[in-house]
Amino acid sequence: MKVNCTALSIIVGVVTTLPVYAQQNLEIAPRAIPVNAGPNDVARFLAGMPVPENSPLAPLMRDTAWQAHATFFEEQFSKLNLRQLQKLHPWQTTYLPECLQPVPVVFYMFSGPDFLYVDQFFPRAAVYVLCGKESLGPPPDPLRIANLSGALGNLENAMKSSLSTTYFITKDMKADLHEQNLNGVVPILYAYMARADKSITNVAFGSLGSSGVFEEAAPGKRGGGILGVRIRYSDNQSENTQTLYYFTTDISDGGIKGTPGFLKFCQRLGTGASFLKSSSYLLFENGFATIRNFVLDHSRTIVQDDSGIPLAYFDPNKWSLRFFGVYLGPIELFKQHYQPRLRELFAQTNPPPLDFGFGYRWNYKEANLIVATRK
């Protein structure tokens, strides 16, 4: 399969405009008529990309705050493309072509709003399941933002670490995502999806009950249980339709026991692939055995850095492991999770180098990547 090298490239073309509706009768024109922008227009606007001329958001593109925001993101995504994505795509074609094939579902535990990398590594998944403790936030509505400059600046700050390294800094996100007018992970998901050349077709907020069924919430309501969002979209290059779920939930053993709906939801989706990156080495802890076992039991392929599932949990009778880059051990913050056996395997197998940063080791000369394939 040919890699979509335009993914997350800088999009400058204007989307074909929608039909212009007949002008309102002069008798009713002065009345307040509520106007809502569609989620795809909102995503493009937040990503600093042009919206159709007849979009309700089009006048806001004349605001100097949005223009500065668009310039900032053009620069940041240009750098990201040159530093990471243009190197990742040919590497993937050579070493990881199986991940470019269709897959029914990709589970990305501890992801936060990192649509960027799961889409790059598994571009043809039918369903993506992301989760984290970060809240969804309300549906972003630029038309209701009083301080556009402050809100867009907040979005930039929340995304800055993931654009310049390869991961979100949780403590910074907690501060940045509580901006009153533009908070939660949804604006970040929107921005990354627009920059990945996706067109959002439908967004539904809802929740998971104990049975694990996603139930849409009525307008203005969120429901109980585990809060989540379902985003349906199409890839503008392949025209494939895809679905992304994000849930705010605790996937520790205690969290799953208390609110089992998320794991039941995932179990309904069957077996696919898993992606683990910059996951704070939580799967090394005894308190995360349930989700660790789920990933091992419901994945045919696992792509991760060394912060994912520890080497000791991969049964050599069930899994084949491939290594890439170099293993220098965890960064200082997680140094207690050093794996001597993993260091030996990297030394023995002379892995192919990585041309891009991955995980906490965002300098490509220090990064590691591990691919586990079920036998």
Side-chain angles (χ1 to χ4, degrees), residues 2-320:
K2 185 179 179 181
V3 180
N4 175 13
C5 289
T6 63
L8 278 144
S9 61
I10 308 308
I11 312 300
V12 295
V14 179
V15 173
T16 304
T17 57
L18 301 174
V20 179
Y21 290 95
Q23 193 172 11
Q24 295 292 330
N25 186 299
L26 291 177
E27 294 182 1
I28 64 170
R31 298 171 61 184
I33 301 173
V35 177
N36 293 310
N40 197 59
D41 284 4
V42 173
R44 291 181 64 86
F45 182 85
L46 296 180
M49 299 165 64
V51 299
E53 292 178 358
N54 67 331
S55 169
L57 299 178
L60 293 180
M61 291 195 299
R62 296 193 290 268
D63 192 305
T64 56
W66 182 85
Q67 292 171 2
H69 172 70
T71 298
F72 175 79
F73 268 0
E74 288 290 316
E75 293 173 351
Q76 292 299 311
F77 278 92
S78 290
K79 291 177 181 178
L80 172 70
N81 197 47
L82 289 171
R83 186 183 69 251
Q84 288 282 100
L85 307 183
Q86 288 186 5
K87 298 175 181 179
L88 188 157
H89 294 147
W91 178 91
Q92 188 174 30
T93 302
T94 301
Y95 295 110
L96 214 58
E98 65 271 28
C99 291
L100 301 173
Q101 299 304 311
V103 60
V105 60
V106 175
F107 301 106
Y108 187 4
M109 307 302 177
F110 313 103
S111 64
D114 182 28
F115 175 78
L116 176 110
Y117 283 99
V118 73
D119 171 64
Q120 294 298 299
F121 275 88
F122 294 95
R124 299 183 66 188
V127 177
Y128 302 87
V129 180
L130 279 61
C131 70
K133 289 189 174 182
E134 298 83 6
S135 65
L136 300 170
D141 185 359
L143 292 168
R144 297 180 181 273
I145 294 177
N147 179 2
L148 188 62
S149 177
L152 293 176
N154 178 68
L155 178 61
E156 294 168 9
N157 289 335
M159 295 176 65
K160 192 174 294 182
S161 64
S162 70
L163 287 168
S164 60
T165 62
T166 70
Y167 58 92
F168 290 93
I169 297 176
T170 304
K171 66 179 179 64
D172 291 347
M173 259 203 309
K174 285 181 178 178
D176 293 330
L177 295 183
H178 282 82
E179 167 73 31
Q180 184 177 1
N181 291 325
L182 200 60
N183 67 318
V185 302
V186 174
I188 298 175
L189 292 172
Y190 274 19
Y192 271 131
M193 294 175 85
R195 285 283 171 175
D197 204 14
K198 316 297 184 185
S199 290
I200 297 174
T201 55
N202 178 266
V203 177
F205 287 80
S207 62
L208 297 172
S210 58
S211 64
V213 175
F214 181 76
E215 297 181 356
E216 294 184 31
K221 304 289 184 181
R222 287 297 184 88
I226 297 170
L227 299 182
V229 63
R230 181 187 66 215
I231 304 176
R232 290 178 173 150
Y233 64 94
S234 61
D235 180 276
N236 292 331
Q237 297 298 313
S238 67
E239 299 185 349
N240 291 332
T241 57
Q242 297 168 286
T243 302
L244 168 72
Y245 288 94
Y246 176 89
F247 295 101
T248 301
T249 187
D250 176 359
I251 55 174
S252 67
D253 291 349
I256 291 173
K257 184 177 181 180
T259 51
F262 174 72
L263 202 61
K264 290 183 179 179
F265 173 84
C266 292
Q267 289 168 341
R268 290 172 179 268
L269 294 171
T271 300
S274 286
F275 189 66
L276 294 162
K277 181 175 69 66
S278 308
S279 54
S280 301
Y281 296 83
L282 292 172
L283 294 175
F284 283 59
E285 307 291 345
N286 293 331
F288 289 86
T290 304
I291 201 69
R292 183 175 58 233
N293 291 335
F294 172 86
V295 171
L296 290 168
D297 292 342
H298 290 80
S299 305
R300 294 188 181 92
T301 301
I302 300 172
V303 176
Q304 65 170 44
D305 61 7
D306 69 294
S307 74
I309 296 175
L311 182 66
Y313 290 98
F314 287 103
D315 184 342
N317 294 318
K318 297 180 179 179
W319 295 94
S320 297

